Amino acid sequence: MKILCVEDDEASRYWLETLLKSQRHQVMCAADGRSALQALQQEDYDLIISDIMMPQMDGFDLCYQIKTNPFLSKIPFVFYSAAYTQPGDIEFALQLGADSFLVKPLLPENLLAEIHSVTSKAKLNQTARITMDQHEFLLGHAQRIGQKLEFLNQELHKASQKLQQTEYELSDTKKMLGLLVNHSSDAVLIVDRQGRFLSANSNLNVLLKRPAPISHLAQLLPAERYSELLAMLAADDKTPLDFHEVIIAGDCRIFITALPIHYQDQPALLIMLRNLGTYQQASNQRRLDQHVLKNLSEGVIITNAENRVIAVNPAFTRITGYSETDVIGKTPRILRSGKQKHGFYRHMWSSLLEDGEWQGELWNRRKNGELFPEWLFLSLIRDENNKILFHIGIFNDISVHEEARRHIEHLAHYDPLTDTPNRTLLRYRINEAVQAAEHSRQQIGLLFIDIDRLKNINESLGYPVGDEVIKAVCQRLQSFSRPGDTVGRHSDDEFLMLLNGIAHRNEITQIADSVINAINEPYLIDGREIYISCSIGIALYPEDGLTEATLVKNAGISLYKAKNEGRNHYLFYSPGMNKAAEDRIAMENALRQAITRNELRLVFQPQYRLRDEILTGCEVLVRWTNPELGEVSPSVFIPIAEESGQIILIGEWILRQACLQVRQWIQTGLPAINFAVNISAVQFGKPSLIAQVREILAETKLHPHLLELELTEGLLMRETQHTLETLRTFKKMGIQLSIDDFGTGYSNLAYLNRFSVDKLKIDQSFVRGLPHSANDLAIVQAIIQMAHNLSLTVIAEGVETEAQKELLTTYDCDIGQGYLFAKPLETHQFEAKLKALCQAKSCAIQ
Amino acid sequence: MSMKVLIVEDNLQNLYLVEFLLKSAGIATIAANNGQLGLELARKEQPALILMDLQMPEMDGYETTRQLKSDPNTCNIPVIGVSSYAMPSSRKAAIDVGMAAYIEKPLIPETFLSQLQPFLP
């Protein structure tokens, strides 16, 4: 944890630092509030521990600054104060938003326990919040300081009586007193009951910007306020005075408070002055207020004491139709609808005057005569003599809520993107159709339609484009629907089409054919031509099922089969299909136990530097051998693992095993090589991935630089905040990143730079075309050149012939992998390669 | 000889801290908040090591150590002098009165324990 300790006393600061460092926390120290704020601007902290009494800016002020700063307010704040704590300090600190208030001396165990409790709460987002405004803070702060000053003054007095034996104590107290008086940028002065200055700190003249020093309170306050203050003092000196005044000095506003104290054995007044900032700041505040008022979606109407309109905001005009000039000077009665019950307004006014506010629903009339319901909140603003200054009304037009209610109902049954029936309504419609067909003895056709590879479009072109595709597909599907048919969106990329009154299978065949043809027509989205295909599974009532559930299930099974057979076509359900679906489920179940039954193993595809054919690293791949299914190809089980989510566990297993293996090689004295592990988009989407990688690296104590994570292009194209942050974190950890299958997706150079990728892998489909295909040649050449311009290392995948290797070397491709060099090797085989590498003493590994 | 460490320190906060650091390392401690009590505890408890604050009112760390070293019951217990934060103190003066080592504050948790290690059984 990173902790900021704010403490002016060196011994206390060292004390905290030693204790916290012993718990392996990172500790930074600041000697006062102002330096603490500077430190907070430069770095992030997990906790602030602060003393209260400090020069420049004290702990209370620091806490106020932090808790009112939206960027800092979430940092837990703990007061750790010296022995001079006064009654009321704790309460004030907690109102300021401090998470804890500790008093010295404290057992280290207790301090650590409190820190632990505060930071645990902060992790749950339970950091304390400030509950006072600026005005309350200034008054409270002055009172705290005044109380402390008086306390110290008494201590000083007592101490001076015991001067001989307690010289030590006295000097300490004196120091504190001096600190207080010279405290921060505030000016502090003490006056006697006649207003004469007894003491003042050096800040006073700076603050007041007056050429000549002043020496009497009457020079500071307006005449009437001055006599008021002295009168208050004379009346009663026991209760704390609630006196404050704002004066102007130059272009600054100065806040003044006064507190009765005893000083040098006589009753006196402690006066504190604080700079509230310049007019400029005040006018900024006004500008901000106006901006908020102007942009508020609620209508606002402000009237004066006589209830005449003095201001309205644009939302008022939008809702009522009355412009500002229409209403200024009038009473709000012009809005009355005449629909409210007798006595309504009387009741409203009486509770407004009594409670200072009222809220409720009422009907008003717009300028065009239209009636509308509104929710109105009324409040009063009074001056200090309780006289009404303003009436403020804030209201919402709730007629729009009526529309919202209808909208919500629609949303419950319709898909918001395509505005077609959603799954709920579809099921209802199918049920209805089944019941009707039972009576009429007609057939129903249910088409389960899935857009092929919509995921690719989403990943490479982004979800907005994917959404446009879905909408366009849906429109085309609707063009085939006859009266009584239903087309709706079943899930992301799946649609259901319910065809009523089917006499013969042929009718459905025709429709399915036309649907596929129509979907294959190009789509023009965002100025881009997009081609897609779809697969269709078909189930018939009553042949393939008698209930809605069976029909949907069987149409789904035939759809799955159609997709597996290569997409872009349709299939009618047949009972044998259930077998295929069951097989898949069996494989999914077998895969679930693959890790625990030790059926997975790693193989290593060596990577060679083309220039001199030195082994530089490997790509780690996984193999699965099941006693019943035999050796299952990764191209079969990885997609199943991805769809079922098992890739999360399998991916973690691969990463951990790979790290353990590399660790073991290093321990036996073999060279430390670069190893690349594939990360699936499903894994990448999990927020826990970073923690997982970090944990495994820590566990195996491997240098992160050796690990390379291979990501697919599509994954980067999404370019979400999550993607950016995850990749940045990996880079910060020192891990290398490479892009797999480069060139197959919608390759985009911009992201290579943005994500600071280290390596680029040319997809084997391009390498395969070498050296004969001019097209592939051009692509490969371009990729290498571009990658080198961006200082990326280029790896060619699937190098199979000598000619390909020659060509790639000529084009300056850095690294190659493929059957020409070696097929993926078993652990012991790759180990042999490493040993050979070591013996060749050409350990020129990065 | 027991594995106990005697801490002689008049400042309560510092005493707590040193106790905490030692306890965290599994080392038992006893404490005295002035030199006189320190002498008595050293004789009675026979600690393995004494950590001695140098600046204390009345009898300071130098004087306490001098007396420890002149008493045959305590002269073999190693004493490590610990400086104060603000007051000047010197390694030479500490060694002259017979201290085995001298540690300057602020204590650094990582090295503090290793500084004591050579004197612990």
Side-chain angles (χ1 to χ4, degrees), chain A residues 132-144:
Chain A
M132 62 174 76
D133 60 20
Q134 188 193 24
H135 190 86
E136 287 165 335
F137 167 68
L138 291 171
L139 271 179
H141 193 198
Q143 256 167 30
R144 303 260 58 77

Side-chain angles (χ1 to χ4, degrees), chain A residues 338-571:
Chain A
K339 292 277 174 191
Q340 296 304 136
K341 278 198 188 130
H342 182 69
F344 174 86
Y345 291 104
R346 207 177 49 221
H347 174 253
M348 180 182 94
W349 274 103
S350 70
S351 57
L352 175 63
L353 293 173
E354 207 167 290
D355 308 332
E357 56 179 59
W358 175 88
Q359 56 182 320
E361 192 177 325
L362 78 159
W363 285 83
N364 268 346
R365 195 181 289 279
R366 301 190 220 269
K367 193 180 180 184
N368 63 11
E370 189 189 358
L371 288 172
F372 71 100
E374 68 175 35
W375 185 267
L376 175 64
F377 177 82
L378 284 176
S379 58
L380 289 179
I381 296 197
R382 297 172 187 269
D383 68 6
E384 55 264 50
N385 300 320
N386 218 22
K387 251 174 57 194
I388 293 173
L389 290 176
F390 305 111
H391 308 81
I392 297 180
I394 302 174
F395 60 97
N396 270 322
D397 182 351
I398 52 177
S399 61
V400 290
H401 292 191
E402 278 297 319
E403 285 165 34
R405 214 170 317 178
R406 277 198 293 276
H407 185 59
I408 287 165
E409 214 153 280
H410 186 79
L411 281 182
H413 292 113
Y414 285 82
D415 168 48
L417 181 64
T418 58
D419 202 29
T420 58
N422 64 7
R423 196 189 292 220
T424 315
L425 185 56
L426 277 169
R427 286 171 69 172
Y428 178 77
R429 293 267 172 90
I430 299 169
N431 253 322
E432 252 183 357
V434 166
Q435 275 164 25
E438 242 176 292
H439 297 294
S440 63
R441 298 183 172 265
Q442 274 184 317
Q443 293 193 79
I444 304 169
L446 187 64
L447 272 60
F448 212 137
I449 304 156
D450 182 293
I451 306 174
D452 296 333
R453 299 194 177 89
L454 180 70
K455 218 175 89 197
N456 288 3
I457 296 178
N458 281 336
E459 284 183 1
S460 53
L461 300 176
Y463 283 94
V465 174
D467 284 352
E468 286 307 309
V469 168
I470 291 170
K471 277 204 266 189
V473 166
C474 196
Q475 275 164 14
R476 291 185 193 182
L477 292 178
Q478 277 173 317
S479 66
F480 293 99
S481 110
R482 308 155 308 167
D485 291 346
T486 301
V487 173
R489 187 165 174 217
H490 184 259
S491 68
D492 280 354
D493 51 356
E494 291 172 344
F495 299 89
L496 277 178
M497 197 163 173
L498 171 69
L499 303 173
N500 271 311
I502 300 290
H504 197 271
R505 217 175 241 260
N506 281 351
E507 285 177 51
I508 295 186
T509 313
Q510 275 171 15
I511 294 178
D513 264 328
S514 337
V515 164
I516 285 183
N517 287 335
I519 299 299
N520 282 342
E521 290 291 312
Y523 298 77
L524 191 69
I525 290 168
D526 264 2
R528 220 190 287 245
E529 258 193 9
I530 295 175
Y531 290 86
I532 58 173
S533 62
C534 70
S535 307
I536 306 177
I538 305 166
L540 293 176
Y541 171 91
E543 210 179 310
D544 302 329
L546 295 173
T547 63
E548 170 264 332
T550 331
L551 285 170
V552 173
K553 185 185 119 211
N554 289 344
I557 289 175
S558 37
L559 167 67
Y560 180 73
K561 188 95 192 299
K563 281 185 104 59
N564 266 6
E565 284 181 2
R567 300 183 163 94
N568 205 25
H569 74 154
Y570 63 85
L571 269 185

Side-chain angles (χ1 to χ4, degrees), chain A residues 105-309:
Chain A
L106 198 63
L107 283 174
E109 291 88 338
N110 295 350
L111 179 79
L112 295 173
E114 188 64 21
I115 288 175
H116 179 75
S117 132
V118 164
T119 49
S120 312
K121 275 189 200 151
K123 274 185 201 129
L124 301 171
N125 240 338
Q126 291 169 348
T127 314
R129 292 207 179 93
I130 186 163
T131 56
M132 62 174 76
D133 60 20
Q134 188 193 24
H135 190 86
E136 287 165 335
F137 167 68
L138 291 171
L139 271 179
H141 193 198
Q143 256 167 30
R144 303 260 58 77
I145 290 174
Q147 224 183 61
K148 219 157 268 178
L149 186 57
E150 195 180 345
F151 169 79
L152 287 172
N153 195 31
Q154 283 166 9
E155 288 291 298
L156 187 62
H157 189 68
K158 274 190 240 161
S160 68
Q161 287 175 337
K162 306 185 280 178
L163 187 60
Q164 258 149 0
Q165 69 255 59
T166 57
E167 203 165 357
Y168 173 61
E169 200 179 320
L170 177 67
S171 75
D172 202 26
T173 313
K174 237 179 184 167
K175 196 180 93 193
M176 292 292 190
L177 185 61
L179 257 178
L180 262 179
V181 173
N182 285 313
H183 167 275
S184 80
S185 57
D186 293 348
V188 178
L189 56 111
I190 298 170
V191 300
D192 69 10
R193 303 204 120 192
Q194 282 71 47
R196 287 184 298 251
F197 287 10
L198 297 174
S199 161
N201 74 350
S202 51
N203 278 333
L204 182 65
N205 290 319
V206 180
L207 204 65
L208 293 178
K209 297 185 178 142
R210 293 207 187 159
I214 61 168
S215 59
H216 199 276
L217 190 57
Q219 293 168 281
L220 197 62
L221 288 172
E224 55 187 277
R225 293 294 279 159
Y226 168 69
S227 29
E228 208 176 301
L229 177 61
L230 289 194
M232 277 163 92
L233 256 184
D236 185 8
D237 64 348
K238 291 278 179 283
T239 53
L241 289 182
D242 183 17
F243 177 88
H244 53 265
E245 173 72 15
V246 175
I247 61 160
I248 307 296
D251 61 348
C252 290
R253 289 150 65 238
I254 310 287
F255 182 91
I256 301 181
T257 52
L259 295 152
I261 59 164
H262 280 263
Y263 186 76
Q264 292 170 353
D265 274 341
Q266 57 170 319
L269 268 181
L270 170 73
I271 311 277
M272 297 204 25
L273 296 91
R274 170 167 290 200
N275 191 343
L276 287 186
T278 60
Y279 278 136
Q280 186 55 38
Q281 282 167 321
S283 71
N284 280 345
Q285 179 65 39
R286 265 201 303 281
R287 238 174 267 154
L288 180 65
D289 292 347
Q290 277 168 4
H291 179 82
V292 171
L293 200 62
K294 212 173 116 195
N295 292 293
L296 208 62
S297 63
E298 283 86 7
V300 177
I301 177 166
I302 304 172
T303 65
N304 62 10
E306 287 77 46
N307 203 25
R308 297 275 167 185
V309 178

Side-chain angles (χ1 to χ4, degrees), chain A residues 749 752-753 757 785-792:
Chain A
L749 302 184
L752 292 177
N753 233 356
V757 162
Q785 212 162 53
M786 179 265 315
H788 282 169
N789 284 343
L790 293 171
S791 313
L792 303 180

